[in-house]
Amino acid sequence: METTTWYVHLDANKFYASCIRAFMPWLNGCPVVVLSNNDGCSICQTKEAQRLGIGMGTKLFEAPWPQVLRDNDVAVFSTNFPLFADMSIKFKTVLKRYFATLEDYSVDEEFCAESDVPCSVAEEKARAAVADIGRGLHLPVSCGIARTKTLAKVATRFAKDYPGYGGVCAIVTDEQRCKALRLLPVGEVWGIGRRHADRLKKLGVETAYDFAHGMTPEWVLKHMTVTGLRTYLELQGIPRLDLETVPPPKQSIMVSRSFGRNVGDLDALTDALTYYVNMNAAKLRRQHSKAARISVFLSTNPFREDLEQDFAWLDVPLPVATSSSLEIGEYARMALRVVYRPGLWYKKAGIMTSEIVRENAVQSNLFDCRDRAKEDRLMRAWDFVTGRYGREALHTGRQAPGQHDWWVRQEKLSPCWTTRREDFPRCTDCPLPSGDGGQEIVWADSNGYGSFTTRRRHGAA
DNA sequence: TCTGGGGTCCTAGGACCC
DNA sequence: TCTGGGGTCCTAGGACCC
């Protein structure tokens, strides 16, 4: 028998909005929108919201949108990353019960692989996993199965668009592959962005099929480099992308945010930058690495043409690679004092760490007189305390606890239902009005977001 | 008032070295 | 007179992803 690896791609539908709906089921069927940082624009919108014309990046504070939101009772939420990240972990934990080989592709997507089995076996597992996630987490998931990762992503598109598939679509035969590619606009292929799509369209290439079967490999290599060629072959059913089961360590880590207001004073900028440094260094330690270079940047609001503009970036090579929040903070604040210009209104700051090495492969420096072992121990203690009591539990002397008035604007924040004790849904047992032998369970949350009822039979888990 | 925040890979071309 | 040539490193820019 021919041996094949079946690539299984799972994608949570409208992930951020679905995380909210999981805890507010009365929003199912209603338009829901999740905003970017600072509540600036839409980054996730349900089908109902899309039908009103809201898309990725729509600036909802501009006309006509405020009126549209009001007229249609659109539920609008700020980003809530603690909630989304935690739901992502739960989603992936369930998948691990079904698939042995997984690749964590993104917050809401996973690739899995099943080798040397008929496609029907992979499909059966996928259907069970999708049903399990729907039941347990109330997250809608779509799944595509094919011989290459790129084709599996194509299949997922069809699983999403056509309810007839019941959430799982497999591309098994060559006939199915060609049919799917003929229906798919070339710009929607994974790996073909807008630039290449525009260029291809000018050459008369409209669909994924036109691309995979109408172009020569030489042309693709010349104009779209080897990455384009990989996509081209994958669409033909020739696997060129493996599952990355072990995520490669990051080569650079960036933490940056826009402020909720314009910031002009150095103290507030120092406070913000120190906060970002602490997040950045914690990410380094989490992947057991250290960085030998940091970069600090500071920028004004480019949309405020009436104000003087500045975009400053400063690289600082470090004497010894480090993951210490304290040491990185010292250099970052030095850099900040260099790039800072009094009198300007800043809108965004950030810190990037790069030249990242494994923490046990650090090149030492003859003139280094820092007690690095002690600092490493201090950081381990720091991580333990903040891991247990939250990021706000510890501060360095440079920070002003609880006074982050530069913090991103999040006026429509949903509760952290799964990660903050005060926000846990409350569960109250009470008898059902009609005697069907069950219990009514009332969920509510501390922010007064309302409550809903669900029924559960006696004795059920 | 509000305009996201991360990342990766590839290539061309210049600098530099022997 | 012949005005090298091969190799590597670095950077900027472009393209892509979620």
Side-chain angles (χ1 to χ4, degrees):
Chain A
M1 193 182 83
E2 189 196 351
T3 63
T4 308
T5 296
W6 293 102
Y7 290 94
V8 182
H9 174 246
L10 292 113
D11 188 342
N13 305 347
K14 315 288 176 195
F15 182 61
Y16 297 164
S18 296
C19 287
I20 307 267
R21 277 177 169 172
F23 292 90
M24 296 182 161
W26 55 90
L27 291 179
N28 283 321
C30 305
V32 177
V33 165
V34 177
L35 302 173
S36 65
N37 266 334
N38 268 334
D39 296 346
C41 56
S42 174
I43 56 168
C44 178
Q45 46 286 318
T46 60
K47 279 206 169 79
E48 300 81 4
Q50 280 172 337
R51 277 200 281 271
L52 299 172
I54 301 169
M56 187 72 163
T58 301
K59 295 160 200 158
L60 293 175
F61 56 87
E62 281 179 0
W65 300 113
Q67 191 64 40
V68 173
L69 299 182
R70 273 194 299 275
D71 291 349
N72 296 280
D73 283 329
V74 180
V76 179
F77 296 91
S78 302
T79 51
N80 184 345
F81 260 93
L83 173 70
F84 303 153
D86 190 57
M87 290 298 276
S88 173
I89 291 169
K90 288 174 162 52
F91 164 53
K92 285 159 191 193
T93 305
V94 175
L95 284 185
K96 281 186 193 131
R97 290 188 213 141
Y98 294 88
F99 296 97
T101 355
L102 290 114
E103 172 187 335
D104 249 332
Y105 179 64
S106 77
V107 66
D108 65 334
E109 283 177 66
E110 200 81 5
F111 280 107
C112 318
E114 287 287 307
S115 290
D116 304 331
V117 293
C119 185
S120 57
V121 172
E123 190 173 336
E124 208 170 300
K125 278 194 188 187
R127 286 195 188 278
V130 167
D132 201 351
I133 293 161
R135 219 171 25 241
L137 296 174
H138 298 271
L139 287 179
V141 174
S142 299
C143 172
I145 306 171
R147 290 172 205 275
T148 70
K149 286 169 86 175
T150 306
L151 286 172
K153 291 265 282 189
V154 172
T156 302
R157 253 298 299 269
F158 287 93
K160 266 186 211 232
D161 289 353
Y162 299 94
Y165 287 113
V168 180
C169 169
I171 295 176
V172 184
T173 65
D174 211 49
E175 210 184 330
Q176 289 170 333
R177 182 183 68 83
C178 292
K179 187 179 168 197
L181 295 190
R182 283 199 181 94
L183 288 169
L184 191 70
V186 70
E188 293 185 24
V189 173
W190 183 44
I192 299 180
R194 258 201 54 196
R195 294 298 182 109
H196 285 320
D198 287 349
R199 177 173 205 171
L200 286 164
K201 276 181 207 155
K202 281 192 190 120
L203 296 169
V205 175
E206 292 288 335
T207 67
Y209 186 88
D210 297 340
F211 173 64
H213 294 282
M215 308 305 281
T216 64
E218 293 77 20
W219 187 92
V220 177
L221 181 63
K222 183 171 174 208
H223 295 100
M224 298 172 71
T225 81
V226 297
T227 49
L229 188 62
R230 261 182 228 133
T231 301
Y232 173 82
L233 294 171
E234 285 243 321
L235 287 174
Q236 295 179 357
I238 304 164
R240 280 293 175 272
L241 297 168
D242 273 339
L243 224 55
E244 280 185 14
T245 51
V246 182
K250 298 237 182 304
Q251 299 166 34
S252 65
I253 293 174
M254 170 81 105
V255 175
S256 75
R257 294 284 184 284
S258 295
F259 305 133
R261 63 170 176 94
N262 287 329
V263 177
D265 60 304
L266 187 58
D267 282 346
L269 290 171
T270 304
D271 185 40
L273 187 64
T274 304
Y275 198 91
Y276 304 156
V277 163
N278 291 350
M279 288 168 72
N280 195 311
K283 286 188 188 188
L284 278 171
R285 298 194 292 270
R286 218 172 297 139
Q287 66 165 32
H288 303 289
S289 57
K290 300 193 174 205
R293 178 183 290 265
I294 70 164
S295 314
V296 168
F297 80 89
L298 206 52
S299 112
T300 49
N301 186 348
F303 297 97
R304 288 290 301 270
E305 287 169 8
D306 53 321
L307 297 177
E308 190 183 345
Q309 295 293 315
D310 190 29
F311 182 88
W313 175 285
L314 187 61
D315 273 347
V316 184
L318 306 184
V320 178
T322 181
S323 60
S324 159
S325 304
L326 305 179
E327 187 178 9
I328 294 174
E330 286 164 26
Y331 287 108
R333 285 185 291 269
M334 275 168 48
L336 176 63
R337 284 194 292 275
V338 173
V339 296
Y340 170 72
R341 285 170 50 198
L344 293 186
W345 289 105
Y346 293 102
K347 185 61 182 170
K348 187 173 177 179
I351 168 99
M352 187 168 106
T353 49
S354 54
E355 290 179 24
I356 292 176
V357 295
R358 290 199 315 277
E359 64 186 357
N360 56 6
V362 171
Q363 176 78 48
S364 52
N365 183 317
L366 189 59
F367 303 104
D368 184 34
C369 46
R370 232 178 146 95
D371 189 345
R372 295 185 179 276
K374 186 178 168 188
E375 214 159 310
D376 283 346
R377 287 200 300 278
L378 178 61
M379 285 300 114
R380 275 201 290 278
W382 177 297
D383 291 336
F384 176 77
V385 173
T386 52
R388 181 155 212 176
Y389 299 103
R391 208 151 53 201
E392 293 283 322
L394 285 178
H395 296 271
T396 55
R398 294 292 177 167
Q399 288 175 280
Q403 292 176 17
H404 308 310
D405 63 341
W406 42 266
W407 190 250
V408 289
R409 194 187 311 268
Q410 291 177 315
E411 286 175 356
K412 303 166 193 306
L413 193 61
S414 50
C416 295
W417 283 291
T418 60
T419 54
R420 256 177 63 183
R421 200 163 300 179
E422 310 90 87
D423 291 353
F424 287 173
R426 287 198 299 274
C427 172
T428 318
D429 284 351
C430 59
L432 277 177
S434 61
D436 68 348
Q439 285 175 304
E440 192 171 15
I441 296 168
V442 181
W443 298 74
D445 61 67
S446 57
N447 287 9
Y449 266 82
S451 62
F452 63 92
T453 59
T454 179
R455 291 173 184 201
R456 189 193 281 173
R457 299 216 166 262
H458 279 304

